[in-house]
Amino acid sequence: MNGGSRVRRSRSGPPPVERAPLKDEAMFRELEQQVNVCVKCELSKSRTNAVFGEGAEDARIMFIGEGPGQEEDVQGRPFVGRAGKLLTQMLEEIGIRREDVYITNIVKCRPPGNRDPLPKESLACRDYLMAQIAYVEPEIVCALGRVALQALLGQDVSISSIHGQGQRWKGMLFVPIYHPAAGLRSASMMKGVRDDFAKLKKIIERNQ
Ligand code: URA
Ligand code: SF4
């Protein structure tokens, strides 16, 4: 990052929680292996590759999308299709390099035909996500779109009512924003997505 917001955890102070880094890293790799062969829900039957997540494991900001799409399923990487390219671009526009954040999804396996994940599938996958959050220890969790918002906070929250606003959540700052895929649907939604990323940038700057 050149003169932009700080996106990786500071190394100057003590870590927020004492831990044995090597052991934890080995456990995290083990978690990824578990996800790759997981059969805890029906989505395992139709996936090509599970998509664990990727990015800086000491990131201050974690982005959580809904689930892998077709391209993600093929490559085994999150946000690498059209919506993913837009996410990368939106991050660059607010001065953040994709490799400095951590990116994952509510469900790690692609829902057939890109349907929404079922609540029971999100629930089956939740322990993996919570373990990722515990390991990365982000200060800010950014939910991309309605599905991620509702899976994390509860079923009846509407994205249009709280997008771009931060709230405290499990000791972190939780910021739901419009999903970049929404921006691919219309020019007005593209503006909505871009405005949300601008708000996210302000929230990040205020919190450092
Ligand atoms: N949309 C998502 O929600 N997640 C991805 O990984 C890709 C597209
Ligand atoms: Fe397992 Fe999650 Fe994939 Fe379901 S979506 S099979 S719980 S990794």
Side-chain angles (χ1 to χ4, degrees):
M1 289 271 332
N2 299 319
S5 338
R6 186 172 64 83
V7 282
R8 303 281 275 269
R9 270 204 304 274
S10 163
R11 293 286 177 205
S12 52
V17 177
E18 283 299 327
R19 60 183 189 192
L22 273 177
K23 179 164 169 279
D24 271 12
E25 195 185 337
M27 283 168 59
F28 200 59
R29 298 279 84 83
E30 170 66 28
L31 186 75
E32 182 167 4
Q33 294 311 313
Q34 280 175 33
V35 166
N36 288 341
V37 297
C38 177
V39 290
K40 283 205 286 179
C41 83
E42 293 283 304
L43 296 180
S44 61
K45 294 187 178 157
S46 48
R47 74 171 175 235
T48 312
N49 291 296
V51 178
F52 181 66
E54 67 179 26
E57 291 170 4
D58 61 350
R60 288 184 63 219
I61 311 153
M62 183 184 287
F63 288 86
I64 303 175
E66 152 177 354
Q70 186 176 23
E71 194 58 36
E72 291 76 19
D73 176 66
V74 168
Q75 292 192 35
R77 294 181 55 209
F79 283 93
V80 288
R82 280 181 74 210
K85 293 202 168 74
L86 189 56
L87 171 63
T88 306
Q89 182 194 325
M90 291 286 166
L91 288 174
E92 278 170 11
E93 285 183 17
I94 61 168
I96 294 177
R97 294 187 311 176
R98 177 183 164 118
E99 56 267 40
D100 285 335
V101 302
Y102 193 83
I103 305 174
T104 189
N105 285 298
I106 294 293
V107 291
K108 313 306 190 203
C109 304
R110 182 192 183 201
N114 294 351
R115 66 160 170 76
D116 288 356
L118 302 173
K120 65 179 176 188
E121 294 161 349
S122 302
L123 197 63
C125 218
R126 192 178 173 91
D127 285 353
Y128 298 133
L129 179 62
M130 288 305 158
Q132 287 172 300
I133 293 175
Y135 182 69
V136 176
E137 296 184 306
E139 291 161 24
I140 297 172
V141 165
C142 180
L144 296 169
R146 171 185 56 86
V147 169
L149 164 65
Q150 293 186 344
L152 290 165
L153 281 201
Q155 282 308 306
D156 47 4
V157 206
S158 113
I159 181 87
S160 53
S161 62
I162 61 166
H163 69 104
Q165 294 169 31
Q167 60 177 278
R168 296 312 299 182
W169 179 73
K170 296 181 188 287
M172 294 163 271
L173 193 57
F174 180 79
V175 188
I177 65 174
Y178 283 135
H179 196 291
L184 299 171
R185 290 201 281 270
S186 73
S188 73
M189 272 312 298
M190 184 66 96
K191 182 178 181 318
V193 171
R194 188 166 269 121
D195 288 350
D196 271 5
F197 275 86
K199 285 181 194 155
L200 177 65
K201 178 185 166 77
K202 288 218 171 71
I203 291 172
I204 293 167
E205 285 168 357
R206 230 182 285 137
N207 273 276
Q208 52 196 354

